[in-house]
Amino acid sequence: WATPIADDGRLYCINAAGKEFVVGLGEKGEIVGQSDFGEEIYASPAAADNALLVRSHKRLRKIAKTP
């Protein structure tokens, strides 16, 4: 449903059911990670300040590496 976003050699795809798939942009395009937000997501993710922002109907999540 949402537009995928590419960042740092990975493609982040989120479907309407709230499942996220992270695809490595190498030769094979393999899934390197996945998660389930547990709620519907109809908005495209955004990248800012070395983080991924994901908005659902109830929440805005910031996903980032911790130092």
Side-chain angles (χ1 to χ4, degrees):
W1 180 268
T3 302
I5 187 169
D7 188 44
D8 196 26
R10 296 187 171 121
L11 184 67
Y12 297 86
C13 308
I14 302 173
N15 66 20
K19 297 188 189 296
E20 175 192 36
F21 299 91
V22 183
V23 180
L25 296 177
E27 285 185 33
K28 295 184 179 182
E30 297 178 279
I31 294 176
V32 296
Q34 56 187 13
S35 60
D36 186 348
F37 290 103
E39 59 185 313
E40 295 176 338
I41 295 177
Y42 295 109
S44 298
D49 296 326
N50 294 317
L52 187 68
L53 302 169
V54 179
R55 184 179 60 83
S56 69
H57 291 290
K58 298 179 183 180
R59 296 177 178 88
L60 174 63
R61 293 179 170 96
K62 179 179 180 182
I63 303 164
K65 290 181 182 178
T66 54

Short mmCIF file of all heavy atoms in Angstrom, two decimals:
data_model
loop_
_atom_site.label_atom_id
_atom_site.label_comp_id
_atom_site.label_asym_id
_atom_site.label_seq_id
_atom_site.Cartn_x
_atom_site.Cartn_y
_atom_site.Cartn_z
N TRP A 1 0.83 -1.19 0.00
CA TRP A 1 0.00 0.00 0.00
C TRP A 1 0.87 1.25 0.00
O TRP A 1 0.69 2.13 -0.81
CB TRP A 1 -0.92 -0.01 1.22
CG TRP A 1 -1.80 1.19 1.29
CD1 TRP A 1 -1.52 2.35 1.93
CD2 TRP A 1 -3.06 1.36 0.67
NE1 TRP A 1 -2.54 3.25 1.77
CE2 TRP A 1 -3.52 2.65 0.99
CE3 TRP A 1 -3.85 0.56 -0.12
CZ2 TRP A 1 -4.72 3.15 0.55
CZ3 TRP A 1 -5.05 1.08 -0.54
CH2 TRP A 1 -5.49 2.35 -0.21
N ALA A 2 1.80 1.34 0.93
CA ALA A 2 2.66 2.52 1.02
C ALA A 2 3.80 2.42 0.01
O ALA A 2 4.19 1.34 -0.41
CB ALA A 2 3.22 2.64 2.43
N THR A 3 4.35 3.56 -0.35
CA THR A 3 5.49 3.60 -1.26
C THR A 3 6.74 3.15 -0.51
O THR A 3 7.01 3.64 0.58
CB THR A 3 5.68 5.04 -1.77
OG1 THR A 3 4.49 5.47 -2.42
CG2 THR A 3 6.86 5.13 -2.72
N PRO A 4 7.51 2.22 -1.07
CA PRO A 4 8.75 1.79 -0.41
C PRO A 4 9.75 2.94 -0.38
O PRO A 4 9.65 3.89 -1.16
CB PRO A 4 9.27 0.66 -1.29
CG PRO A 4 8.21 0.36 -2.27
CD PRO A 4 7.26 1.50 -2.31
N ILE A 5 10.71 2.83 0.50
CA ILE A 5 11.77 3.84 0.58
C ILE A 5 13.11 3.11 0.63
O ILE A 5 13.25 2.08 1.28
CB ILE A 5 11.57 4.76 1.81
CG1 ILE A 5 12.57 5.90 1.79
CG2 ILE A 5 11.64 3.99 3.10
CD1 ILE A 5 12.29 6.99 2.81
N ALA A 6 14.09 3.64 -0.08
CA ALA A 6 15.43 3.07 -0.10
C ALA A 6 16.36 3.96 0.70
O ALA A 6 16.32 5.19 0.58
CB ALA A 6 15.94 2.93 -1.53
N ASP A 7 17.20 3.33 1.53
CA ASP A 7 18.16 4.07 2.33
C ASP A 7 19.27 3.12 2.76
O ASP A 7 18.99 1.99 3.19
CB ASP A 7 17.47 4.68 3.55
CG ASP A 7 18.38 5.63 4.32
OD1 ASP A 7 19.08 6.44 3.69
OD2 ASP A 7 18.40 5.55 5.57
N ASP A 8 20.50 3.56 2.63
CA ASP A 8 21.67 2.82 3.10
C ASP A 8 21.72 1.39 2.56
O ASP A 8 21.98 0.44 3.29
CB ASP A 8 21.69 2.82 4.64
CG ASP A 8 23.05 2.43 5.20
OD1 ASP A 8 24.06 2.63 4.50
OD2 ASP A 8 23.10 1.91 6.33
N GLY A 9 21.42 1.22 1.27
CA GLY A 9 21.52 -0.09 0.65
C GLY A 9 20.39 -1.05 0.96
O GLY A 9 20.49 -2.25 0.73
N ARG A 10 19.30 -0.52 1.49
CA ARG A 10 18.15 -1.35 1.83
C ARG A 10 16.86 -0.71 1.33
O ARG A 10 16.75 0.51 1.26
CB ARG A 10 18.05 -1.54 3.34
CG ARG A 10 19.24 -2.31 3.89
CD ARG A 10 19.03 -2.63 5.34
NE ARG A 10 20.07 -3.53 5.78
CZ ARG A 10 20.90 -3.28 6.76
NH1 ARG A 10 20.81 -2.13 7.41
NH2 ARG A 10 21.82 -4.14 7.09
N LEU A 11 15.89 -1.55 1.03
CA LEU A 11 14.57 -1.10 0.61
C LEU A 11 13.59 -1.47 1.72
O LEU A 11 13.52 -2.63 2.13
CB LEU A 11 14.17 -1.77 -0.70
CG LEU A 11 12.84 -1.33 -1.31
CD1 LEU A 11 12.94 0.11 -1.78
CD2 LEU A 11 12.48 -2.24 -2.48
N TYR A 12 12.85 -0.49 2.23
CA TYR A 12 11.90 -0.70 3.32
C TYR A 12 10.49 -0.69 2.73
O TYR A 12 10.07 0.32 2.16
CB TYR A 12 12.04 0.39 4.38
CG TYR A 12 13.40 0.37 5.04
CD1 TYR A 12 14.47 1.05 4.48
CD2 TYR A 12 13.62 -0.34 6.21
CE1 TYR A 12 15.72 1.03 5.07
CE2 TYR A 12 14.86 -0.37 6.81
CZ TYR A 12 15.91 0.32 6.23
OH TYR A 12 17.15 0.29 6.82
N CYS A 13 9.78 -1.82 2.86
CA CYS A 13 8.44 -1.97 2.30
C CYS A 13 7.47 -2.29 3.44
O CYS A 13 7.73 -3.20 4.24
CB CYS A 13 8.40 -3.12 1.29
SG CYS A 13 9.66 -3.03 0.03
N ILE A 14 6.37 -1.55 3.52
CA ILE A 14 5.37 -1.78 4.56
C ILE A 14 4.02 -1.98 3.88
O ILE A 14 3.61 -1.18 3.05
CB ILE A 14 5.29 -0.60 5.54
CG1 ILE A 14 6.66 -0.36 6.18
CG2 ILE A 14 4.24 -0.87 6.61
CD1 ILE A 14 6.73 0.88 7.04
N ASN A 15 3.33 -3.07 4.25
CA ASN A 15 2.02 -3.31 3.65
C ASN A 15 0.91 -2.76 4.55
O ASN A 15 1.16 -2.31 5.67
CB ASN A 15 1.81 -4.79 3.31
CG ASN A 15 1.75 -5.70 4.51
OD1 ASN A 15 1.50 -5.29 5.62
ND2 ASN A 15 2.00 -6.98 4.28
N ALA A 16 -0.32 -2.78 4.06
CA ALA A 16 -1.46 -2.19 4.78
C ALA A 16 -1.72 -2.89 6.11
O ALA A 16 -2.25 -2.28 7.03
CB ALA A 16 -2.71 -2.23 3.91
N ALA A 17 -1.34 -4.16 6.22
CA ALA A 17 -1.55 -4.90 7.47
C ALA A 17 -0.51 -4.53 8.53
O ALA A 17 -0.59 -5.01 9.66
CB ALA A 17 -1.51 -6.40 7.20
N GLY A 18 0.47 -3.70 8.18
CA GLY A 18 1.47 -3.27 9.15
C GLY A 18 2.71 -4.15 9.20
O GLY A 18 3.49 -4.06 10.14
N LYS A 19 2.90 -4.98 8.21
CA LYS A 19 4.10 -5.82 8.17
C LYS A 19 5.16 -5.12 7.33
O LYS A 19 4.89 -4.65 6.23
CB LYS A 19 3.77 -7.19 7.60
CG LYS A 19 2.79 -7.95 8.47
CD LYS A 19 2.63 -9.36 7.99
CE LYS A 19 1.51 -10.07 8.69
NZ LYS A 19 1.66 -10.27 10.07
N GLU A 20 6.37 -5.07 7.89
CA GLU A 20 7.49 -4.41 7.22
C GLU A 20 8.48 -5.47 6.75
O GLU A 20 8.79 -6.41 7.46
CB GLU A 20 8.20 -3.46 8.16
CG GLU A 20 9.45 -2.85 7.56
CD GLU A 20 10.31 -2.15 8.59
OE1 GLU A 20 10.40 -2.62 9.73
OE2 GLU A 20 10.90 -1.14 8.22
N PHE A 21 8.98 -5.28 5.54
CA PHE A 21 10.01 -6.15 4.98
C PHE A 21 11.18 -5.27 4.56
O PHE A 21 10.99 -4.26 3.89
CB PHE A 21 9.47 -6.93 3.78
CG PHE A 21 8.32 -7.81 4.13
CD1 PHE A 21 7.02 -7.35 4.03
CD2 PHE A 21 8.53 -9.09 4.61
CE1 PHE A 21 5.94 -8.14 4.39
CE2 PHE A 21 7.47 -9.89 4.96
CZ PHE A 21 6.17 -9.42 4.85
N VAL A 22 12.38 -5.67 4.97
CA VAL A 22 13.59 -4.94 4.62
C VAL A 22 14.35 -5.81 3.62
O VAL A 22 14.69 -6.95 3.91
CB VAL A 22 14.46 -4.66 5.86
CG1 VAL A 22 15.68 -3.85 5.47
CG2 VAL A 22 13.65 -3.94 6.93
N VAL A 23 14.57 -5.26 2.45
CA VAL A 23 15.22 -6.01 1.37
C VAL A 23 16.59 -5.41 1.11
O VAL A 23 16.72 -4.20 0.88
CB VAL A 23 14.37 -5.95 0.08
CG1 VAL A 23 15.03 -6.72 -1.04
CG2 VAL A 23 12.96 -6.46 0.34
N GLY A 24 17.63 -6.25 1.16
CA GLY A 24 18.98 -5.80 0.82
C GLY A 24 19.07 -5.57 -0.67
O GLY A 24 18.58 -6.38 -1.46
N LEU A 25 19.67 -4.47 -1.08
CA LEU A 25 19.73 -4.12 -2.49
C LEU A 25 20.97 -4.68 -3.18
O LEU A 25 21.55 -4.05 -4.03
CB LEU A 25 19.67 -2.59 -2.65
CG LEU A 25 18.36 -1.95 -2.19
CD1 LEU A 25 18.43 -0.44 -2.33
CD2 LEU A 25 17.18 -2.51 -2.95
N GLY A 26 21.35 -5.89 -2.81
CA GLY A 26 22.46 -6.56 -3.48
C GLY A 26 21.98 -7.26 -4.73
O GLY A 26 20.89 -7.00 -5.24
N GLU A 27 22.79 -8.17 -5.25
CA GLU A 27 22.45 -8.88 -6.49
C GLU A 27 21.16 -9.68 -6.38
O GLU A 27 20.40 -9.77 -7.33
CB GLU A 27 23.60 -9.81 -6.88
CG GLU A 27 24.79 -9.10 -7.46
CD GLU A 27 25.84 -10.07 -7.95
OE1 GLU A 27 25.47 -11.16 -8.42
OE2 GLU A 27 27.02 -9.72 -7.86
N LYS A 28 20.92 -10.29 -5.22
CA LYS A 28 19.76 -11.18 -5.08
C LYS A 28 18.52 -10.49 -4.53
O LYS A 28 17.43 -11.02 -4.65
CB LYS A 28 20.12 -12.37 -4.19
CG LYS A 28 21.18 -13.26 -4.79
CD LYS A 28 21.41 -14.46 -3.92
CE LYS A 28 22.45 -15.36 -4.53
NZ LYS A 28 22.65 -16.56 -3.72
N GLY A 29 18.64 -9.37 -3.90
CA GLY A 29 17.48 -8.70 -3.33
C GLY A 29 16.81 -9.52 -2.24
O GLY A 29 15.61 -9.70 -2.23
N GLU A 30 17.59 -10.03 -1.30
CA GLU A 30 17.07 -10.91 -0.25
C GLU A 30 16.46 -10.11 0.90
O GLU A 30 16.91 -9.01 1.21
CB GLU A 30 18.20 -11.78 0.30
CG GLU A 30 18.78 -12.72 -0.73
CD GLU A 30 19.92 -13.54 -0.17
OE1 GLU A 30 21.04 -13.02 -0.11
OE2 GLU A 30 19.65 -14.70 0.21
N ILE A 31 15.45 -10.70 1.54
CA ILE A 31 14.86 -10.10 2.74
C ILE A 31 15.86 -10.25 3.87
O ILE A 31 16.27 -11.36 4.20
CB ILE A 31 13.51 -10.76 3.10
CG1 ILE A 31 12.48 -10.47 2.00
CG2 ILE A 31 13.02 -10.27 4.46
CD1 ILE A 31 11.16 -11.16 2.20
N VAL A 32 16.28 -9.12 4.45
CA VAL A 32 17.27 -9.14 5.52
C VAL A 32 16.66 -8.81 6.88
O VAL A 32 17.32 -8.88 7.90
CB VAL A 32 18.44 -8.17 5.21
CG1 VAL A 32 19.20 -8.62 3.98
CG2 VAL A 32 17.96 -6.74 5.05
N GLY A 33 15.38 -8.46 6.89
CA GLY A 33 14.70 -8.18 8.15
C GLY A 33 13.21 -8.01 7.92
O GLY A 33 12.77 -7.75 6.80
N GLN A 34 12.45 -8.24 8.98
CA GLN A 34 11.01 -8.00 8.90
C GLN A 34 10.47 -7.75 10.30
O GLN A 34 11.07 -8.14 11.29
CB GLN A 34 10.28 -9.15 8.22
CG GLN A 34 10.48 -10.50 8.81
CD GLN A 34 9.84 -11.58 7.94
OE1 GLN A 34 9.45 -11.36 6.81
NE2 GLN A 34 9.71 -12.76 8.48
N SER A 35 9.36 -7.05 10.35
CA SER A 35 8.71 -6.77 11.62
C SER A 35 7.21 -6.59 11.40
O SER A 35 6.76 -6.46 10.27
CB SER A 35 9.30 -5.51 12.28
OG SER A 35 9.12 -4.40 11.44
N ASP A 36 6.48 -6.61 12.49
CA ASP A 36 5.03 -6.45 12.43
C ASP A 36 4.66 -5.34 13.40
O ASP A 36 4.89 -5.46 14.61
CB ASP A 36 4.36 -7.76 12.81
CG ASP A 36 2.85 -7.73 12.63
OD1 ASP A 36 2.28 -6.64 12.42
OD2 ASP A 36 2.24 -8.80 12.68
N PHE A 37 4.11 -4.25 12.89
CA PHE A 37 3.73 -3.12 13.73
C PHE A 37 2.44 -3.38 14.50
O PHE A 37 2.09 -2.63 15.40
CB PHE A 37 3.61 -1.85 12.90
CG PHE A 37 4.93 -1.35 12.41
CD1 PHE A 37 5.32 -1.55 11.10
CD2 PHE A 37 5.80 -0.70 13.26
CE1 PHE A 37 6.54 -1.09 10.63
CE2 PHE A 37 7.04 -0.24 12.81
CZ PHE A 37 7.41 -0.45 11.49
N GLY A 38 1.69 -4.41 14.13
CA GLY A 38 0.50 -4.78 14.87
C GLY A 38 -0.70 -3.89 14.63
O GLY A 38 -1.68 -3.98 15.37
N GLU A 39 -0.63 -3.04 13.63
CA GLU A 39 -1.78 -2.21 13.28
C GLU A 39 -1.64 -1.78 11.82
O GLU A 39 -0.56 -1.85 11.24
CB GLU A 39 -1.89 -1.00 14.19
CG GLU A 39 -0.69 -0.08 14.20
CD GLU A 39 -0.82 1.02 15.22
OE1 GLU A 39 -1.89 1.66 15.29
OE2 GLU A 39 0.15 1.27 15.94
N GLU A 40 -2.73 -1.32 11.24
CA GLU A 40 -2.73 -0.93 9.84
C GLU A 40 -1.87 0.31 9.61
O GLU A 40 -1.86 1.23 10.43
CB GLU A 40 -4.15 -0.65 9.37
CG GLU A 40 -5.03 -1.87 9.40
CD GLU A 40 -6.46 -1.56 9.02
OE1 GLU A 40 -6.89 -0.40 9.14
OE2 GLU A 40 -7.16 -2.49 8.60
N ILE A 41 -1.16 0.30 8.48
CA ILE A 41 -0.34 1.44 8.10
C ILE A 41 -0.63 1.75 6.64
O ILE A 41 -0.46 0.89 5.78
CB ILE A 41 1.16 1.16 8.32
CG1 ILE A 41 1.42 0.98 9.81
CG2 ILE A 41 2.01 2.28 7.74
CD1 ILE A 41 2.83 0.64 10.18
N TYR A 42 -1.09 2.96 6.36
CA TYR A 42 -1.39 3.37 5.00
C TYR A 42 -0.51 4.52 4.53
O TYR A 42 -0.70 5.05 3.45
CB TYR A 42 -2.86 3.78 4.90
CG TYR A 42 -3.80 2.63 5.13
CD1 TYR A 42 -4.56 2.54 6.27
CD2 TYR A 42 -3.90 1.61 4.19
CE1 TYR A 42 -5.41 1.48 6.48
CE2 TYR A 42 -4.75 0.54 4.39
CZ TYR A 42 -5.51 0.48 5.53
OH TYR A 42 -6.34 -0.58 5.73
N ALA A 43 0.46 4.91 5.34
CA ALA A 43 1.34 6.02 4.98
C ALA A 43 2.71 5.48 4.59
O ALA A 43 3.15 4.46 5.10
CB ALA A 43 1.48 6.98 6.16
N SER A 44 3.37 6.18 3.71
CA SER A 44 4.72 5.79 3.31
C SER A 44 5.70 6.16 4.41
O SER A 44 5.55 7.20 5.06
CB SER A 44 5.11 6.51 2.02
OG SER A 44 4.24 6.14 0.98
N PRO A 45 6.73 5.34 4.63
CA PRO A 45 7.73 5.69 5.63
C PRO A 45 8.58 6.86 5.12
O PRO A 45 8.60 7.16 3.92
CB PRO A 45 8.57 4.42 5.76
CG PRO A 45 8.39 3.70 4.46
CD PRO A 45 7.01 4.06 3.99
N ALA A 46 9.28 7.51 6.03
CA ALA A 46 10.17 8.61 5.68
C ALA A 46 11.49 8.41 6.40
O ALA A 46 11.53 7.86 7.50
CB ALA A 46 9.54 9.94 6.10
N ALA A 47 12.57 8.85 5.79
CA ALA A 47 13.89 8.79 6.41
C ALA A 47 14.33 10.20 6.78
O ALA A 47 14.22 11.12 5.98
CB ALA A 47 14.89 8.16 5.45
N ALA A 48 14.80 10.35 8.02
CA ALA A 48 15.30 11.65 8.49
C ALA A 48 16.20 11.43 9.69
O ALA A 48 15.92 10.58 10.55
CB ALA A 48 14.14 12.56 8.89
N ASP A 49 17.29 12.18 9.76
CA ASP A 49 18.20 12.14 10.91
C ASP A 49 18.64 10.72 11.25
O ASP A 49 18.60 10.30 12.41
CB ASP A 49 17.56 12.80 12.14
CG ASP A 49 17.31 14.28 11.93
OD1 ASP A 49 18.12 14.92 11.24
OD2 ASP A 49 16.31 14.79 12.45
N ASN A 50 19.01 9.94 10.23
CA ASN A 50 19.47 8.56 10.41
C ASN A 50 18.43 7.67 11.08
O ASN A 50 18.76 6.77 11.85
CB ASN A 50 20.78 8.52 11.20
CG ASN A 50 21.91 9.15 10.44
OD1 ASN A 50 22.06 8.91 9.24
ND2 ASN A 50 22.70 9.96 11.10
N ALA A 51 17.16 7.93 10.81
CA ALA A 51 16.08 7.13 11.38
C ALA A 51 14.98 6.93 10.34
O ALA A 51 14.91 7.66 9.35
CB ALA A 51 15.49 7.84 12.61
N LEU A 52 14.16 5.96 10.58
CA LEU A 52 12.99 5.69 9.75
C LEU A 52 11.76 6.09 10.55
O LEU A 52 11.60 5.69 11.71
CB LEU A 52 12.93 4.20 9.39
CG LEU A 52 11.87 3.79 8.39
CD1 LEU A 52 12.20 4.36 7.01
CD2 LEU A 52 11.79 2.28 8.30
N LEU A 53 10.90 6.91 9.95
CA LEU A 53 9.66 7.35 10.60
C LEU A 53 8.49 6.63 9.96
O LEU A 53 8.36 6.62 8.73
CB LEU A 53 9.49 8.86 10.46
CG LEU A 53 10.63 9.70 11.02
CD1 LEU A 53 10.49 11.14 10.59
CD2 LEU A 53 10.68 9.59 12.52
N VAL A 54 7.65 6.02 10.79
CA VAL A 54 6.51 5.24 10.31
C VAL A 54 5.27 5.72 11.05
O VAL A 54 5.22 5.72 12.28
CB VAL A 54 6.72 3.72 10.55
CG1 VAL A 54 5.52 2.94 10.07
CG2 VAL A 54 7.99 3.24 9.87
N ARG A 55 4.25 6.13 10.28
CA ARG A 55 3.01 6.64 10.87
C ARG A 55 1.87 5.65 10.64
O ARG A 55 1.65 5.17 9.54
CB ARG A 55 2.64 7.98 10.26
CG ARG A 55 1.40 8.61 10.90
CD ARG A 55 1.09 9.96 10.30
NE ARG A 55 0.84 9.94 8.87
CZ ARG A 55 -0.35 9.63 8.33
NH1 ARG A 55 -1.36 9.30 9.08
NH2 ARG A 55 -0.50 9.66 7.02
N SER A 56 1.15 5.36 11.71
CA SER A 56 -0.07 4.56 11.61
C SER A 56 -1.24 5.47 11.97
O SER A 56 -1.07 6.68 12.10
CB SER A 56 -0.02 3.37 12.57
OG SER A 56 -0.09 3.82 13.91
N HIS A 57 -2.41 4.90 12.17
CA HIS A 57 -3.57 5.72 12.55
C HIS A 57 -3.42 6.29 13.95
O HIS A 57 -3.96 7.34 14.26
CB HIS A 57 -4.85 4.89 12.46
CG HIS A 57 -5.20 4.54 11.05
ND1 HIS A 57 -5.65 5.45 10.14
CD2 HIS A 57 -5.16 3.36 10.40
CE1 HIS A 57 -5.87 4.86 8.98
NE2 HIS A 57 -5.57 3.59 9.11
N LYS A 58 -2.69 5.57 14.83
CA LYS A 58 -2.61 5.97 16.23
C LYS A 58 -1.24 6.45 16.67
O LYS A 58 -1.12 7.08 17.70
CB LYS A 58 -3.01 4.79 17.11
CG LYS A 58 -4.44 4.33 16.90
CD LYS A 58 -4.75 3.16 17.78
CE LYS A 58 -6.17 2.66 17.51
NZ LYS A 58 -6.51 1.52 18.34
N ARG A 59 -0.19 6.10 15.93
CA ARG A 59 1.16 6.37 16.42
C ARG A 59 2.07 6.89 15.32
O ARG A 59 1.87 6.63 14.15
CB ARG A 59 1.77 5.07 16.96
CG ARG A 59 1.07 4.50 18.14
CD ARG A 59 1.73 3.18 18.53
NE ARG A 59 1.10 2.62 19.70
CZ ARG A 59 0.05 1.83 19.68
NH1 ARG A 59 -0.50 1.49 18.54
NH2 ARG A 59 -0.48 1.36 20.79
N LEU A 60 3.13 7.57 15.76
CA LEU A 60 4.25 7.91 14.91
C LEU A 60 5.46 7.27 15.55
O LEU A 60 5.78 7.54 16.71
CB LEU A 60 4.44 9.43 14.81
CG LEU A 60 5.67 9.89 14.05
CD1 LEU A 60 5.62 9.45 12.58
CD2 LEU A 60 5.84 11.39 14.14
N ARG A 61 6.11 6.38 14.81
CA ARG A 61 7.26 5.67 15.36
C ARG A 61 8.54 6.17 14.71
O ARG A 61 8.59 6.42 13.51
CB ARG A 61 7.12 4.18 15.09
CG ARG A 61 5.98 3.54 15.84
CD ARG A 61 5.92 2.06 15.48
NE ARG A 61 5.01 1.34 16.31
CZ ARG A 61 3.76 1.06 15.98
NH1 ARG A 61 3.27 1.47 14.84
NH2 ARG A 61 2.99 0.39 16.80
N LYS A 62 9.59 6.28 15.53
CA LYS A 62 10.91 6.60 15.02
C LYS A 62 11.80 5.39 15.30
O LYS A 62 11.96 4.97 16.45
CB LYS A 62 11.47 7.83 15.75
CG LYS A 62 12.86 8.20 15.26
CD LYS A 62 13.37 9.45 16.00
CE LYS A 62 14.75 9.82 15.52
NZ LYS A 62 15.26 10.98 16.26
N ILE A 63 12.35 4.83 14.24
CA ILE A 63 13.18 3.64 14.35
C ILE A 63 14.60 4.05 14.01
O ILE A 63 14.88 4.52 12.91
CB ILE A 63 12.69 2.54 13.40
CG1 ILE A 63 11.22 2.23 13.70
CG2 ILE A 63 13.55 1.30 13.51
CD1 ILE A 63 10.52 1.47 12.61
N ALA A 64 15.50 3.89 14.98
CA ALA A 64 16.89 4.31 14.78
C ALA A 64 17.82 3.40 15.55
O ALA A 64 17.43 2.77 16.54
CB ALA A 64 17.07 5.75 15.26
N LYS A 65 19.06 3.34 15.10
CA LYS A 65 20.08 2.60 15.83
C LYS A 65 20.44 3.39 17.07
O LYS A 65 20.54 4.62 17.04
CB LYS A 65 21.33 2.43 14.98
CG LYS A 65 21.16 1.49 13.83
CD LYS A 65 22.47 1.36 13.07
CE LYS A 65 22.31 0.47 11.87
NZ LYS A 65 23.57 0.39 11.10
N THR A 66 20.66 2.68 18.16
CA THR A 66 21.13 3.36 19.36
C THR A 66 22.65 3.31 19.39
O THR A 66 23.26 2.33 18.94
CB THR A 66 20.56 2.69 20.63
OG1 THR A 66 20.87 1.30 20.61
CG2 THR A 66 19.05 2.86 20.69
N PRO A 67 23.28 4.35 19.91
CA PRO A 67 24.75 4.38 19.92
C PRO A 67 25.34 3.34 20.85
O PRO A 67 24.75 2.85 21.72
CB PRO A 67 25.08 5.79 20.38
CG PRO A 67 23.85 6.37 20.95
CD PRO A 67 22.71 5.53 20.47
#
